[in-house]
Amino acid sequence: ARTRATRGPAPTASALDAFLGDCEALVRPRLLTILSQNLEGVKKAELSRLGVVSTAPHYVARRYGELHATVLALFPDECRAAAARDADAVSPPASPAASPASPALRKIVEFASRRSSVSSNASAPTIGNTSAAAQAASLMEELRERTADLLLRLARRLKKDKAKRVFLVNNYDLICSIFAERDVSAHETDVVFWLNKLHAEREAFVEDALREAFADLIDFV
C-alpha cells in the first residue's frame, strides 16, 4: 500500500507525440485536397455521364456517405467544433411514435439513446493545425449541400413523381445507413440534415399514396 501511494504518475508515450504530429501534418493537406477534388467533381458532374438512374440508390450517395463518415471519424472533435456555428440552423427531426421501419434509422435511434449528446462547445485538440479542420468542415458542409442538389437533379431524370420520391428515399436512407454503420452520432449536424430529408420524403410519399387511393375522401375531409 505504501509503495502504491508513493508511486508517481503513469508513464506516457511522449516520444511518439512528435511522430504522430508529423503524420497528422501530412494527412491534413491531403485530406483537404481530396475533399476539394470531390467537391469540384460534384459541382461539374454531368448527369449524362453518371449512368442509368433507377429507383435504386445511386453510387453518388454511397461515395458521399463513405467519404463524409471517414472524415468525421478521423477528426470528430475538430469538425464538430468547426460546424457548431450552424448547428442551430438544422433542427432535429421529431421522434416518431412508432419504431422506425428502416433498420438504419432504428440503429441510429438506439445508438443515440446510449450516447450522450455532443456539446457544441467542444474544443479542438491542440496538436496540429486546427485551421485545416475548420477548412475541412467548411468543405464538407458545401459538399453536403452540393450532393443533396445533385441527387435532386438525378431524381428529375425519372418520369414518374412516385419513382422520383422512391429514388430520393432510397438514397437518403443509404447515407443514413452508412452513418449508422460507422457509429456516427445521431446528434451530428450532417446526420440530422439527412434524417430530416429522409423523413420529409417519406411523409410526402405516404401522403401521395393515400391521395392516390383515397382522393375523394381526403378532399371531403
Side-chain angles (χ1 to χ4, degrees):
R2 182 179 303 173
T3 303
R4 187 178 305 165
T6 57
R7 183 179 301 171
T12 59
S14 57
L16 295 176
D17 289 348
F19 171 76
L20 295 176
D22 292 341
C23 291
E24 191 173 5
L26 293 174
V27 168
R28 289 178 185 274
R30 182 57 183 167
L31 173 63
L32 295 178
T33 301
I34 293 174
L35 289 176
S36 298
Q37 291 176 347
N38 276 270
L39 180 57
E40 287 300 316
V42 172
K43 286 181 180 180
K44 300 178 181 178
E46 298 180 11
L47 301 185
S48 59
R49 302 182 62 180
L50 295 180
V52 179
V53 178
S54 65
T55 56
H58 199 274
Y59 70 85
V60 167
R62 176 169 293 280
R63 180 178 178 179
Y64 162 83
E66 294 286 355
L67 175 62
H68 214 115
T70 300
V71 175
L72 289 175
L74 287 174
F75 308 107
D77 295 332
E78 293 175 325
C79 292
R80 192 176 300 128
R85 64 183 182 276
D86 65 323
D88 295 334
V90 182
S91 58
S95 300
S99 176
S102 169
L105 291 179
R106 284 203 303 269
K107 185 171 181 181
I108 289 178
V109 172
E110 292 171 359
F111 180 76
S113 64
R114 299 194 309 267
R115 183 169 177 173
S116 59
S117 300
V118 178
S119 171
S120 61
N121 296 323
S123 58
T126 56
I127 298 178
N129 184 10
T130 55
S131 63
Q135 295 176 39
S138 178
L139 289 172
M140 289 169 62
E141 180 181 354
E142 186 176 359
L143 180 60
R144 180 188 68 196
E145 300 293 339
R146 294 284 185 171
T147 301
D149 180 68
L150 179 57
L151 290 176
L152 289 175
R153 290 164 54 201
L154 288 170
R156 296 191 189 104
R157 297 185 62 185
L158 299 172
K159 297 181 179 180
K160 297 183 178 180
D161 292 338
K162 183 177 181 180
K164 295 177 182 178
R165 293 205 182 279
V166 173
F167 172 81
L168 291 175
V169 167
N170 287 337
N171 280 276
Y172 296 159
D173 186 73
L174 173 62
I175 294 174
C176 292
S177 299
I178 293 173
F179 286 158
E181 292 171 0
R182 300 295 188 89
D183 282 343
V184 178
S185 172
H187 301 286
E188 294 286 356
T189 303
D190 302 292
V191 178
V192 174
F193 174 86
W194 293 106
L195 279 177
N196 280 336
K197 285 191 168 295
L198 179 59
H199 282 290
E201 285 299 328
R202 278 183 169 174
E203 291 177 1
F205 176 82
V206 172
E207 184 177 349
D208 291 345
L210 291 175
R211 179 166 292 278
E212 182 179 350
F214 307 102
D216 296 336
L217 179 61
I218 293 176
D219 292 337
F220 175 76
V221 174

